[in-house]
Amino acid sequence: MAVLVTGGAGYIGSHMVFGLVDRGEKVVALDNLSTGNRGLVAESADFIEGDAGDRELVCRLVAEHAIDAIIHFAGSIIVPESVEQPLAYYANNTVVARNLIEAAVRSGVRNFIFSSTATVYAGESDKLLSEDLPAGPISPYGRSKLMTEWMLEDSARAYDFRYVALRYFNVAGADPKGRTGQSSPRATHLIKRACQVALGRVPHLDVFGRDYPTPDGTGVRDYIHVSDLVAAHALALGYLRDGGAAGVMNCGYGRGSSVREVIAAMERVTGRTLPVKESPRRAGDPPWLIADSRLIRATLNWRPAHDDLDNIVRSALAWESKLNSP
Ligand code: UD1
């Protein structure tokens, strides 16, 4: 048995590949290297350069490597970019996922784990978001992912196929062993940008919007450590292999931090003031996204081990300081 990890050379995918090989799994990492980095893939995994939506390729890999599960990370992830280029997001997220699901069904892979997102929720209030709330994505990115959840739901009804869609909240931090981390110099994530600023590689951090209906006027997110996210996937894999029912689960801690609180955490960790600039709101950004995480804790017995904003920031900074200056 082997696990196919699409987007295996990307930020989260490369952590997943290490997490799986650490657990003794055979792994095939598939990545078209559009944003991924070959050097981040664990040496003991098989690496294939190719597209997750290439049905013939995926069917061949399933047969050659006896793949019994697919974890699908590959995709585009930047909310404001999706507002400017919606069709690119529907192509790269929705269409690719459709073809990958078809390849899974056609080649008899019954276990599928999908990277969904908290942005399927509208995020209008500070209420914890539970999976049974009506979805209401406000960006093409969120819609492109929600459509994939629907394709999975319909496919699980129609075929011999089960899935877990994990709705990630804001993933940050890096492998505690220092083997991989967020490596794209063009990444837009708040904690990544804050690290670049703290290291003097970017002159200041933009604070996008200070008039949100939140306590300090900046956007609130539920930041989770990438290692806890990888652990959730490993549990979901075991759950599906044991015959667990298909479903959608939030993956967040259930605690929100504002942009200003992230800046304060970075200042505590470095002992220095972070240069910031007040900037207008970014297109497509909801004010609040905080998980109700009861379902994943109860169903998968997920117990996060890194639930501490300062440690998440410290971990991201340790990785960033290992990267060469751009
Ligand atoms: C992130 C993920 C998305 C995921 C979602 C789940 C990325 C690129 N996007 O989106 O894939 O599905 O979480 O919730 O990882 N901000 C600033 N200054 C900056 C950058 C961001 O003020 O330089 C603010 C944003 O306006 C927002 C918050 O920080 O309020 C988080 O932004 P960001 O890290 O870009 O993530 P999301 O857009 O929430």
Coordinates of all heavy atoms in Angstrom, one line a residue, residues 19-86:
G19 N 5.7 13.5 7.3 CA 4.8 12.9 8.4 C 4.5 11.5 8.1 O 4.5 10.6 9.0
L20 N 4.2 11.2 6.8 CA 3.9 9.8 6.4 C 5.1 8.9 6.4 O 5.1 7.8 6.9 CB 3.3 9.8 5.0 CG 1.8 10.4 4.9 CD1 1.4 10.6 3.5 CD2 0.8 9.5 5.6
V21 N 6.2 9.4 5.9 CA 7.4 8.5 5.8 C 7.9 8.2 7.3 O 8.4 7.1 7.6 CB 8.6 9.0 4.9 CG1 8.1 9.0 3.5 CG2 9.1 10.3 5.3
D22 N 7.8 9.2 8.1 CA 8.1 9.0 9.6 C 7.3 7.9 10.2 O 7.7 7.3 11.1 CB 7.9 10.3 10.4 CG 8.9 11.4 10.1 OD1 9.9 11.1 9.4 OD2 8.7 12.6 10.5
R23 N 6.0 7.8 9.7 CA 5.2 6.7 10.2 C 5.3 5.4 9.5 O 4.6 4.5 9.6 CB 3.7 7.1 10.1 CG 3.3 8.2 11.0 CD 1.9 8.8 10.7 NE 1.4 9.7 11.7 CZ 1.8 11.0 11.8 NH1 2.6 11.5 11.0 NH2 1.3 11.7 12.8
G24 N 6.3 5.3 8.6 CA 6.6 4.1 7.9 C 5.7 3.8 6.6 O 5.7 2.7 6.1
E25 N 5.0 4.9 6.2 CA 4.2 4.7 5.0 C 5.1 4.8 3.7 O 6.1 5.6 3.7 CB 3.1 5.8 4.9 CG 2.1 5.8 6.0 CD 0.9 4.9 5.7 OE1 0.8 4.3 4.6 OE2 0.1 4.8 6.7
K26 N 4.6 4.1 2.6 CA 5.2 4.4 1.3 C 4.5 5.6 0.7 O 3.3 5.6 0.7 CB 5.0 3.2 0.4 CG 6.0 2.1 0.7 CD 6.0 1.1 -0.4 CE 6.8 -0.1 -0.1 NZ 6.3 -1.4 -0.6
V27 N 5.3 6.5 0.1 CA 4.6 7.7 -0.3 C 5.1 8.0 -1.8 O 6.3 7.9 -2.1 CB 5.0 8.9 0.6 CG1 4.4 10.2 0.1 CG2 4.7 8.6 2.0
V28 N 4.1 8.4 -2.6 CA 4.4 8.9 -3.9 C 3.9 10.4 -3.9 O 2.8 10.7 -3.6 CB 3.6 8.2 -5.0 CG1 3.9 8.8 -6.4 CG2 3.9 6.7 -5.0
A29 N 4.9 11.3 -4.1 CA 4.6 12.7 -4.1 C 4.5 13.2 -5.5 O 5.4 13.0 -6.3 CB 5.7 13.5 -3.4
L30 N 3.3 13.8 -5.9 CA 3.1 14.3 -7.2 C 3.0 15.8 -7.2 O 2.2 16.3 -6.4 CB 1.8 13.7 -7.7 CG 1.2 14.1 -9.1 CD1 2.2 13.8 -10.2 CD2 -0.2 13.5 -9.3
D31 N 3.7 16.5 -8.0 CA 3.7 17.9 -7.9 C 4.2 18.5 -9.3 O 5.1 17.9 -9.9 CB 4.7 18.4 -6.8 CG 4.4 19.9 -6.4 OD1 4.4 20.8 -7.2 OD2 4.1 20.0 -5.2
N32 N 3.5 19.5 -9.8 CA 3.9 20.0 -11.1 C 5.0 21.1 -11.0 O 5.4 21.8 -11.9 CB 2.7 20.5 -12.0 CG 2.0 21.7 -11.3 OD1 2.5 22.3 -10.3 ND2 0.9 22.1 -11.9
L33 N 5.4 21.4 -9.7 CA 6.4 22.4 -9.4 C 6.1 23.8 -9.8 O 7.0 24.6 -10.0 CB 7.8 21.9 -9.9 CG 8.3 20.6 -9.4 CD1 9.7 20.2 -9.9 CD2 8.4 20.6 -7.8
S34 N 4.8 24.1 -10.0 CA 4.4 25.4 -10.4 C 4.7 26.4 -9.2 O 5.2 27.5 -9.4 CB 3.0 25.5 -10.8 OG 2.1 25.1 -9.7
T35 N 4.5 25.9 -8.0 CA 4.9 26.7 -6.8 C 5.7 25.8 -5.8 O 6.3 26.4 -4.9 CB 3.7 27.3 -6.1 OG1 2.8 26.2 -5.7 CG2 2.9 28.3 -6.9
G36 N 5.7 24.6 -6.0 CA 6.4 23.7 -5.1 C 7.9 23.7 -5.3 O 8.4 24.3 -6.3
N37 N 8.6 23.0 -4.5 CA 10.1 23.0 -4.5 C 10.5 21.5 -4.3 O 10.3 20.9 -3.2 CB 10.5 23.9 -3.3 CG 12.0 24.0 -3.2 OD1 12.7 23.2 -3.7 ND2 12.4 25.1 -2.7
R38 N 11.1 21.0 -5.3 CA 11.5 19.6 -5.3 C 12.4 19.2 -4.1 O 12.4 18.1 -3.5 CB 12.3 19.3 -6.6 CG 13.0 18.0 -6.7 CD 12.0 16.9 -7.0 NE 12.7 15.6 -7.1 CZ 12.9 14.8 -6.1 NH1 12.7 15.1 -4.9 NH2 13.4 13.6 -6.3
G39 N 13.2 20.2 -3.7 CA 14.2 20.0 -2.6 C 13.5 19.8 -1.2 O 14.2 19.4 -0.3
L40 N 12.2 20.0 -1.1 CA 11.5 19.9 0.2 C 10.9 18.5 0.3 O 10.4 18.2 1.4 CB 10.4 20.9 0.3 CG 10.8 22.4 0.2 CD1 9.6 23.3 0.4 CD2 11.8 22.7 1.3
V41 N 11.0 17.7 -0.7 CA 10.4 16.3 -0.7 C 11.3 15.3 0.0 O 12.5 15.2 -0.4 CB 10.0 15.8 -2.1 CG1 9.3 14.5 -2.0 CG2 9.1 16.9 -2.8
A42 N 10.8 14.6 1.0 CA 11.6 13.6 1.7 C 12.3 12.7 0.7 O 11.6 12.2 -0.2 CB 10.7 12.8 2.7
E43 N 13.5 12.4 0.9 CA 14.3 11.5 0.0 C 13.7 10.1 -0.2 O 13.7 9.5 -1.2 CB 15.7 11.4 0.4 CG 16.6 12.5 -0.2 CD 18.0 12.4 0.3 OE1 18.5 11.3 0.7 OE2 18.7 13.5 0.2
S44 N 13.1 9.6 0.9 CA 12.6 8.2 0.8 C 11.2 8.2 0.1 O 10.7 7.0 -0.1 CB 12.5 7.6 2.2 OG 11.8 8.5 3.1
A45 N 10.7 9.3 -0.3 CA 9.4 9.2 -1.0 C 9.7 9.2 -2.5 O 10.8 9.7 -2.9 CB 8.6 10.5 -0.7
D46 N 8.9 8.6 -3.3 CA 9.0 8.7 -4.8 C 8.5 10.0 -5.2 O 7.4 10.4 -4.8 CB 8.2 7.6 -5.5 CG 8.9 6.2 -5.3 OD1 10.1 6.2 -5.6 OD2 8.2 5.3 -4.9
F47 N 9.2 10.7 -6.0 CA 8.7 12.0 -6.5 C 8.4 11.9 -8.0 O 9.2 11.4 -8.8 CB 9.8 13.1 -6.3 CG 9.3 14.4 -6.9 CD1 8.3 15.2 -6.2 CD2 9.7 14.9 -8.1 CE1 7.8 16.4 -6.8 CE2 9.3 16.0 -8.7 CZ 8.3 16.8 -8.0
I48 N 7.2 12.4 -8.4 CA 6.8 12.4 -9.8 C 6.4 13.8 -10.1 O 5.6 14.4 -9.5 CB 5.5 11.5 -10.0 CG1 5.7 10.1 -9.4 CG2 5.2 11.5 -11.5 CD1 6.7 9.2 -10.1
E49 N 7.1 14.4 -11.2 CA 6.7 15.7 -11.6 C 5.5 15.6 -12.6 O 5.6 14.9 -13.6 CB 7.9 16.4 -12.3 CG 7.5 17.8 -12.7 CD 8.7 18.6 -13.2 OE1 9.9 18.2 -13.0 OE2 8.5 19.7 -13.8
G50 N 4.4 16.1 -12.3 CA 3.2 16.0 -13.1 C 2.0 16.7 -12.5 O 2.1 17.2 -11.4
D51 N 0.9 16.6 -13.2 CA -0.3 17.3 -12.8 C -1.3 16.4 -12.1 O -1.6 15.3 -12.6 CB -0.9 18.0 -14.0 CG -1.7 19.1 -13.7 OD1 -2.9 18.9 -13.3 OD2 -1.2 20.3 -13.7
A52 N -1.8 16.9 -11.0 CA -2.8 16.1 -10.3 C -4.1 15.9 -11.1 O -4.8 14.9 -10.8 CB -3.2 16.8 -9.0
G53 N -4.3 16.7 -12.1 CA -5.5 16.5 -12.9 C -5.3 15.6 -14.1 O -6.2 15.5 -15.0
D54 N -4.1 15.0 -14.2 CA -3.8 14.2 -15.4 C -4.2 12.8 -15.1 O -3.6 12.0 -14.4 CB -2.2 14.2 -15.6 CG -1.8 13.4 -16.8 OD1 -2.5 12.5 -17.2 OD2 -0.6 13.6 -17.2
R55 N -5.4 12.4 -15.5 CA -6.1 11.2 -15.1 C -5.3 9.9 -15.5 O -5.1 9.0 -14.8 CB -7.5 11.1 -15.7 CG -8.5 11.9 -15.0 CD -9.7 12.2 -15.8 NE -9.4 13.1 -16.9 CZ -10.4 13.6 -17.7 NH1 -11.6 13.3 -17.6 NH2 -10.0 14.5 -18.6
E56 N -4.7 9.9 -16.7 CA -3.9 8.8 -17.2 C -2.7 8.6 -16.3 O -2.4 7.5 -15.8 CB -3.4 8.9 -18.6 CG -4.5 8.6 -19.7 CD -5.7 9.4 -19.6 OE1 -5.6 10.7 -19.5 OE2 -6.9 8.9 -19.6
L57 N -2.0 9.7 -16.0 CA -0.8 9.6 -15.1 C -1.3 9.1 -13.7 O -0.6 8.1 -13.2 CB -0.2 11.0 -14.9 CG 0.9 11.1 -13.9 CD1 2.1 10.2 -14.2 CD2 1.4 12.6 -13.7
V58 N -2.3 9.6 -13.1 CA -2.7 9.2 -11.8 C -3.1 7.7 -11.8 O -2.7 6.9 -10.9 CB -3.9 10.1 -11.3 CG1 -4.5 9.5 -10.0 CG2 -3.4 11.5 -11.0
C59 N -3.9 7.3 -12.8 CA -4.3 5.8 -12.9 C -3.0 4.9 -13.0 O -3.0 3.9 -12.4 CB -5.2 5.6 -14.1 SG -6.9 6.3 -13.8
R60 N -2.1 5.4 -13.8 CA -0.8 4.6 -13.9 C -0.1 4.5 -12.6 O 0.4 3.5 -12.1 CB 0.1 5.2 -15.0 CG 1.3 4.4 -15.2 CD 2.0 4.8 -16.6 NE 2.3 6.2 -16.8 CZ 3.3 6.9 -16.1 NH1 4.1 6.2 -15.3 NH2 3.5 8.1 -16.4
L61 N 0.0 5.7 -11.9 CA 0.7 5.7 -10.6 C 0.0 4.8 -9.6 O 0.6 4.0 -8.8 CB 0.8 7.1 -10.0 CG 1.7 8.1 -10.8 CD1 1.6 9.5 -10.2 CD2 3.1 7.6 -10.8
V62 N -1.3 4.8 -9.6 CA -2.1 3.9 -8.6 C -1.8 2.5 -8.9 O -1.5 1.7 -7.9 CB -3.6 4.2 -8.8 CG1 -4.4 3.1 -8.1 CG2 -4.0 5.6 -8.3
A63 N -1.7 2.1 -10.2 CA -1.5 0.7 -10.5 C 0.0 0.3 -10.2 O 0.3 -0.7 -9.5 CB -1.7 0.4 -12.0
E64 N 0.9 1.2 -10.5 CA 2.4 0.9 -10.4 C 2.8 0.8 -8.9 O 3.7 0.0 -8.5 CB 3.2 1.9 -11.1 CG 3.3 1.7 -12.5 CD 4.1 2.8 -13.3 OE1 4.6 3.8 -12.6 OE2 4.1 2.8 -14.5
H65 N 2.1 1.7 -8.0 CA 2.6 1.8 -6.7 C 1.6 1.2 -5.6 O 1.8 1.4 -4.4 CB 2.9 3.3 -6.3 CG 4.0 3.9 -7.1 ND1 5.3 3.9 -6.7 CD2 3.9 4.5 -8.3 CE1 6.0 4.5 -7.6 NE2 5.2 4.9 -8.6
A66 N 0.6 0.6 -6.1 CA -0.5 0.0 -5.2 C -1.0 1.0 -4.3 O -1.0 0.8 -3.0 CB 0.1 -1.2 -4.5
I67 N -1.4 2.2 -4.8 CA -1.9 3.3 -4.0 C -3.3 3.0 -3.5 O -4.2 2.6 -4.3 CB -1.8 4.6 -4.8 CG1 -0.4 5.0 -4.9 CG2 -2.7 5.7 -4.2 CD1 -0.1 6.0 -6.0
D68 N -3.5 3.1 -2.2 CA -4.8 2.9 -1.6 C -5.5 4.2 -1.1 O -6.6 4.1 -0.7 CB -4.8 1.8 -0.5 CG -4.3 2.4 0.8 OD1 -3.2 3.1 0.8 OD2 -4.9 2.2 1.9
A69 N -4.7 5.3 -1.1 CA -5.3 6.5 -0.6 C -4.6 7.7 -1.3 O -3.4 7.7 -1.6 CB -5.0 6.6 0.9
I70 N -5.4 8.7 -1.5 CA -4.9 10.0 -2.1 C -5.2 11.1 -1.1 O -6.3 11.2 -0.6 CB -5.6 10.3 -3.4 CG1 -5.3 9.1 -4.5 CG2 -5.2 11.6 -4.0 CD1 -6.1 9.3 -5.8
I71 N -4.1 11.9 -0.9 CA -4.3 13.1 -0.1 C -4.0 14.3 -1.1 O -2.9 14.4 -1.6 CB -3.3 13.2 1.1 CG1 -3.4 11.9 1.9 CG2 -3.6 14.4 2.0 CD1 -2.6 11.8 3.2
H72 N -5.0 15.1 -1.3 CA -5.0 16.1 -2.3 C -4.7 17.5 -1.8 O -5.7 18.2 -1.3 CB -6.3 16.0 -3.1 CG -6.4 17.0 -4.2 ND1 -5.3 17.3 -5.1 CD2 -7.4 17.8 -4.7 CE1 -5.7 18.2 -6.0 NE2 -6.9 18.5 -5.7
F73 N -3.5 18.0 -1.9 CA -3.1 19.3 -1.5 C -3.0 20.3 -2.6 O -3.1 21.5 -2.4 CB -1.7 19.3 -0.8 CG -1.7 18.6 0.6 CD1 -1.3 17.3 0.6 CD2 -2.2 19.2 1.7 CE1 -1.3 16.6 1.8 CE2 -2.2 18.6 2.9 CZ -1.7 17.2 3.0
A74 N -2.6 19.8 -3.8 CA -2.3 20.7 -4.9 C -3.4 21.6 -5.2 O -4.5 21.3 -5.2 CB -2.0 19.8 -6.2
G75 N -3.0 22.9 -5.4 CA -4.1 23.9 -5.7 C -3.5 25.3 -5.5 O -2.4 25.5 -5.0
S76 N -4.4 26.2 -5.9 CA -4.1 27.7 -5.7 C -4.7 28.1 -4.4 O -5.9 27.7 -4.1 CB -4.6 28.5 -6.8 OG -4.0 28.0 -8.0
I77 N -4.1 29.0 -3.6 CA -4.5 29.2 -2.2 C -4.7 30.7 -1.8 O -4.9 30.9 -0.7 CB -3.6 28.5 -1.2 CG1 -2.1 29.1 -1.4 CG2 -3.6 27.0 -1.4 CD1 -1.2 28.8 -0.2
I78 N -4.5 31.6 -2.7 CA -4.4 33.0 -2.3 C -5.8 33.7 -2.5 O -6.2 33.9 -3.7 CB -3.3 33.8 -3.0 CG1 -1.9 33.0 -2.7 CG2 -3.2 35.2 -2.5 CD1 -0.7 33.6 -3.5
V79 N -6.4 34.1 -1.5 CA -7.8 34.7 -1.6 C -7.8 35.9 -2.5 O -8.6 35.9 -3.5 CB -8.3 35.0 -0.1 CG1 -9.6 35.7 -0.2 CG2 -8.4 33.7 0.7
P80 N -7.0 36.9 -2.3 CA -7.2 38.1 -3.2 C -6.8 37.8 -4.6 O -7.5 38.3 -5.5 CB -6.2 39.1 -2.6 CG -5.3 38.4 -1.6 CD -6.1 37.2 -1.2
E81 N -5.9 36.9 -4.9 CA -5.6 36.5 -6.2 C -6.8 35.9 -6.9 O -7.0 36.1 -8.1 CB -4.4 35.5 -6.2 CG -3.9 35.1 -7.6 CD -2.7 34.2 -7.4 OE1 -2.9 33.0 -7.1 OE2 -1.6 34.6 -7.7
S82 N -7.5 35.1 -6.1 CA -8.7 34.4 -6.7 C -9.8 35.4 -7.1 O -10.6 35.1 -8.0 CB -9.3 33.4 -5.7 OG -10.1 34.0 -4.7
V83 N -9.8 36.6 -6.5 CA -10.8 37.6 -6.8 C -10.4 38.2 -8.2 O -11.3 38.5 -9.0 CB -10.9 38.7 -5.8 CG1 -11.8 39.8 -6.2 CG2 -11.3 38.1 -4.4
E84 N -9.1 38.3 -8.4 CA -8.7 38.8 -9.7 C -8.7 37.8 -10.8 O -8.9 38.1 -12.0 CB -7.2 39.3 -9.6 CG -7.1 40.6 -8.8 CD -5.7 40.9 -8.3 OE1 -4.7 40.2 -8.8 OE2 -5.5 41.7 -7.4
Q85 N -8.5 36.5 -10.5 CA -8.4 35.5 -11.5 C -9.3 34.3 -11.2 O -8.8 33.2 -11.0 CB -6.9 35.0 -11.6 CG -5.9 36.1 -11.9 CD -4.5 35.5 -11.7 OE1 -4.2 34.3 -11.9 NE2 -3.6 36.3 -11.2
P86 N -10.6 34.5 -11.2 CA -11.5 33.4 -10.7 C -11.4 32.2 -11.6 O -11.4 31.1 -11.1 CB -12.9 34.1 -10.8 CG -12.7 35.3 -11.6 CD -11.3 35.8 -11.5

